[in-house]
Amino acid sequence: MTDLFILFPSILNGLTTGAVYALIALGLTLIYGVLHIINFAHGAALMLALYGVYWLKEAAGIDPYLALPIMVPAMFMLGYGLQRGVINRASHGKDENILLVTLGLSIVMENLALLFFKSDTRTIETAYTLTTVPIDIGFAQAMIALPKLVAFGGALVASVVLILIVGRTDLGRAIRAVAKEKHGAKLMGIDVEHVYAMSFGIGLACLGAAACFLLPAYYVNPQVGNGFVLVAFTIVVLGGMGSFSGALLGGLLIGVVESLGGLLLGESLGQIGIFLLFIAVLLFRPQGLFGAKA
C-alpha cells in the first residue's frame, strides 16, 4: 500500500504531462498523415507559441487560458501562411526539399527568438500557479498542481475536438482523401494545395493550444521546443505513423513512463524509459502500437 501512495502521484503527474505531449504529437501526426513529411519546425513553432502566450501575459495581462482564442487562430494562420507562402513554393513538390525547408524554418525561428528575447529562461506568475488540488480515489491520494490538472483536461478536450474534425466534418473527409490518394482527390475537385495548408495550419493550431496549457507551470526559452519535439516524434512512431488514436494513447503512455522513470531513476534519467520503450516497439512492432502493416 505504501508503494501505491508513492506511485499514484507519479502516474497522475505522468498523465497530465502525457496529455500535452499527445496534443503536440497530434499536430505532428496530422501534418505527416496528409503531407507525408516530417516537420522539423514543429518544436520551434511550439517555442514561438510559448513566447506568444508569455508576451500576452506580460504585456497585455491576458491569462494563459484566456489566450486560447488568440493563440489558436494565430498559430493556425502562421501555419497556413508558412505552408502556402514558403514550404510549398520552396519545395517545388519534392519531399526532400520540404524536409530541408522545415529544418531551415526551425533554425530561423530559433535565431529570431535569440535576437528578440535573448537566451534567458522566462516564466510567468498567475494567481493559481502554486495552487494544488487533492485527488482521492479511496485507496490512494495525491496532491496535484492546478495548472497541470487544467492542462490535462484541456489537452484531452482539444485532442478529441481535432479527432472529431478529422473524422466527422467535410474538411476532415477532404483531409483523409488527400492523405490516402491526392491525385484521386484532385480529380474529385478537392483543392489539394488548400488542404495541405489547412492541415499544416491545424497542426500548428494544436501547438497554440498546447502553449496555453503549458506555460502556467512551465518556462520558455529559444531552445525549449527541442525536447518536446523529440518526444513528439517518438509518440508518432510509437502510436503508428498517421494514427490519431495512437498519438493520443501513446502520449499518455509516454507521460506515465517518463514520470515513473524519473521516480525510479532520478529526474535527469527519467526519459531513458521513453527511448527503451521506443526501441522495443521498433524491434517487435515496427508499424507502431496502433499502426497498420504496410
Side-chain angles (χ1 to χ4, degrees):
M1 186 64 69
T2 303
D3 291 339
L4 185 60
F5 285 134
I6 298 173
L7 289 176
F8 179 63
S10 183
I11 292 172
L12 206 58
N13 274 291
L15 288 173
T16 59
T17 303
V20 179
Y21 282 162
L23 181 57
I24 296 169
L26 278 167
L28 197 60
T29 296
L30 178 62
I31 293 170
Y32 173 81
V34 178
L35 279 69
H36 302 294
I37 60 159
I38 302 298
N39 176 25
F40 286 117
H42 208 66
L46 174 62
M47 175 268 297
L48 288 184
L50 285 165
Y51 270 118
V53 178
Y54 172 84
W55 181 82
L56 287 172
K57 178 66 172 67
E58 293 300 302
I62 299 175
D63 185 270
Y65 301 139
L66 296 180
L68 271 166
I70 300 172
M71 288 306 305
V72 172
M75 291 302 294
F76 170 82
M77 288 187 289
L78 174 64
Y80 191 97
L82 283 176
Q83 205 287 326
R84 290 302 289 259
V86 180
I87 296 173
N88 189 48
R89 292 187 178 186
S91 66
H92 303 294
K94 296 181 179 179
D95 289 350
E96 60 271 23
N97 288 356
I98 296 176
L99 294 177
L100 292 173
V101 172
T102 60
L103 181 60
L105 284 172
S106 175
I107 295 171
V108 169
M109 290 177 186
E110 289 184 4
N111 280 278
L112 284 175
L114 279 168
L115 176 64
F116 289 108
F117 298 104
K118 311 306 178 188
S119 60
D120 301 335
T121 294
R122 301 165 188 256
T123 59
I124 62 172
E125 290 291 332
T126 66
Y128 48 81
T129 297
L130 301 178
T131 303
T132 57
V133 177
I135 304 293
D136 189 342
I137 58 172
F139 54 86
Q141 299 82 35
M143 298 294 291
I144 186 168
L146 179 59
K148 286 194 170 186
L149 195 60
V150 174
F152 175 72
L156 283 184
V157 170
S159 299
V160 171
V161 168
L162 174 60
I163 291 171
L164 289 175
I165 288 173
V166 174
R168 301 288 182 87
T169 66
D170 290 339
L171 172 61
R173 282 185 279 273
I175 287 173
R176 286 183 281 120
V178 171
K180 192 161 186 72
E181 179 50 65
K182 69 176 182 179
H183 297 297
K186 187 177 292 186
L187 290 173
M188 295 302 294
I190 295 174
D191 185 345
V192 173
E193 300 302 327
H194 175 67
V195 171
Y196 279 172
M198 289 292 291
S199 301
F200 207 90
I202 294 172
L204 264 62
C206 292
L207 300 181
C212 293
F213 297 134
L214 274 172
L215 201 56
Y218 209 67
Y219 63 86
V220 58
N221 61 39
Q223 287 78 41
V224 71
N226 296 334
F228 281 102
V229 79
L230 183 61
V231 174
F233 279 132
T234 303
I235 291 168
V236 170
V237 177
L238 177 67
M241 301 293 273
S243 171
F244 292 100
S245 57
L248 178 57
L249 296 177
L252 295 173
L253 176 61
I254 287 295
V256 172
V257 168
E258 180 184 32
S259 183
L260 291 177
L263 177 67
L264 298 174
L265 302 174
E267 192 69 27
S268 61
L269 297 176
Q271 289 195 335
I272 284 180
I274 295 177
F275 301 108
L276 290 176
L277 177 62
F278 178 63
I279 292 169
V281 169
L282 288 179
L283 287 174
F284 299 108
R285 192 175 172 82
Q287 72 270 28
L289 297 177
F290 297 90
K293 289 185 178 180

